[in-house]
Structure formats: C-alpha cells, structure tokens
Amino acid sequence: MARAEKVAAVAELTERFQSSSGAVLAEYRGLTVAQLAELRHSLGEQASFSVVKNTLTKLAAAEAGIAAELEGLLSGPSAIAFVKGDVVEAAKGLRDFAKVNPALVIKGGVIDGKAMSPSEIERLADLESREVLLAMLAGAMKASMTNAAAALNALPVQMAQLAGALQAKLAAEGGATAPADTAESGTDTAPADTAESGTDTAPADTPNDEPAAAAAADENASTEE
C-alpha cells in the first residue's frame, strides 16, 4: 500500500472512531465471504462491519484518543463493527451471529469512550433495546395519566359523600342535645319561680292588712270596758 493510501486509510478509520458511538473488535478467521456479507446484512443500520489492518488501526486509535482502550485487541485477523445506531441492538446482532457462527470471536471494544470486555458486551446484548425501553416508558406514563384522570373524576363523588356524611353527623349531634335543654328548663327555672311567688310575694300583695288590725284592737277595748 502506497504511503498516500495508508494516510487516507488512517484518516478514514480515525473519523469512524470519532463519529461512532462504539466500536467492537472481532476475529473473523474462518468466516467465508458469504458469511461476512450475512453478518453485515444482519447488523443493518445499527453498525458497519469492516476488515481492518492492525498497524493502521493502531495509528487511527491513537489519533482518536482511544489507543489505551484498544490495547491488546489488535492482533490476528481483525474486523471492527463501528456502531452507528443502538449499541444494544448492535451487540445483540454480533452475539446472535457468533452463536450460529463460532468462527466469529468478539475480542472486546469501546462503547462511549469506555473499554468493554467480551463478557461486558455479552451483558450489554442482554439488555432491552432503546425502542423497547421507550415503549415501556410510554406505557408507564400512559398508565399514570389514566390513573390520575380516574382519581380526578372520582373526586366530586367523594366530596359529595363526605359532605353528606358530615351533614348527617351534625344532624345527629343536634338531636342529642335538644332534650337536655328542655330538661333544664323544666326542673330548674319553673320551680324556682313558683316557690318565690308562693312564699315571698303573695303575703306582701294581700290587701287591707292595717284596717283588720285596727278592728281587732277596737274589739278588745270594748270587751275590757
């Protein structure tokens, strides 16, 4: 490869490292051209799969600032899946293809600037995809809105029931206190008024007390004479 071609290849790899959300390195020894085409088709828009030269890829990784994350992975026949879409879907595609075609060996990679081991990429593939998570979130939000609407619709009914219960309680309390007021009125006030009018007032209001006393005195005088 001419020097100008190497420079162009390094620049292209550097740009793909920088513009991708992740890069997964794999060993493809033993895969046929037809199988590589099948892998690219299965990844779809999530990732592009390219066979690379280790020396040029090391230079590109250094220029992209991820040489340390890819250290030790660039040995033997190497290919890189540059992730352009959902990293979870890309990991699922690589894992599922490797299960059917053991010749594809995932060596590791870098996702969002973080080095990923093969086991970590396997766990990433077990996660729900972005579309599934968004659908679950939308369903949860819809359920919450439905519950809130039901609660608001039930609020007037509950307020009416509460008002009715409060009115019934007040009516019951009013019926219990009325007899007590009547009893006090009949036992304390009326006898007190009657006793006072019978003992103190009535004798004071008797007419002609003085003429009667004078007549009694005259009668006694006549008897003495």
Side-chain angles (χ1 to χ4, degrees):
M1 181 181 292
R3 178 176 177 80
E5 293 178 346
K6 291 181 180 180
V7 171
V10 170
E12 181 183 356
L13 287 171
T14 302
E15 191 277 331
R16 296 180 75 179
F17 276 127
Q18 293 174 336
S19 62
S20 300
S21 56
V24 179
L25 275 73
E27 183 178 325
Y28 66 96
R29 193 194 311 266
L31 289 178
T32 65
V33 174
Q35 288 173 324
L36 288 174
E38 181 185 351
L39 174 57
R40 292 187 179 97
H41 179 73
S42 66
L43 292 175
E45 297 181 355
Q46 305 303 326
S48 61
F49 191 80
S50 304
V51 175
V52 296
K53 293 184 177 296
N54 291 331
T55 54
L56 300 181
T57 305
K58 288 179 181 179
L59 294 174
E63 292 189 13
I66 56 173
E69 286 76 9
L70 299 183
E71 185 177 0
L73 301 181
L74 292 168
S75 61
S78 299
I80 301 178
F82 290 99
V83 182
K84 298 182 294 182
D86 189 347
V87 293
V88 174
E89 283 295 313
K92 287 181 187 293
L94 292 169
R95 179 200 60 186
D96 295 344
F97 186 87
K99 286 181 178 180
V100 180
N101 303 275
L104 180 71
V105 179
I106 297 175
K107 298 192 291 184
V110 55
I111 304 294
D112 292 331
K114 179 181 180 298
M116 302 285 286
S117 66
S119 60
E120 289 174 327
I121 294 175
E122 182 77 17
R123 289 196 296 270
L124 183 65
D126 291 333
L127 299 177
E128 298 291 353
S129 65
R130 181 175 181 272
E131 287 72 16
V132 173
L133 292 176
L134 289 176
M136 293 172 61
L137 178 61
M141 293 178 63
K142 182 178 180 181
S144 299
M145 293 178 64
T146 301
N147 293 336
L152 290 175
N153 290 335
L155 187 59
V157 177
Q158 294 174 351
M159 291 297 295
Q161 293 174 346
L162 180 61
L166 181 59
Q167 185 177 5
K169 181 180 179 182
L170 292 176
E173 291 177 351
T177 55
D181 294 338
T182 305
E184 292 177 0
S185 167
T187 56
D188 297 337
T189 307
D193 294 342
T194 304
E196 289 177 0
S197 66
T199 57
D200 298 333
T201 308
D205 294 339
T206 303
N208 300 324
D209 284 344
E210 294 180 357
D218 292 340
E219 182 178 355
N220 290 335
S222 300
T223 304
E224 289 176 359
E225 291 178 357

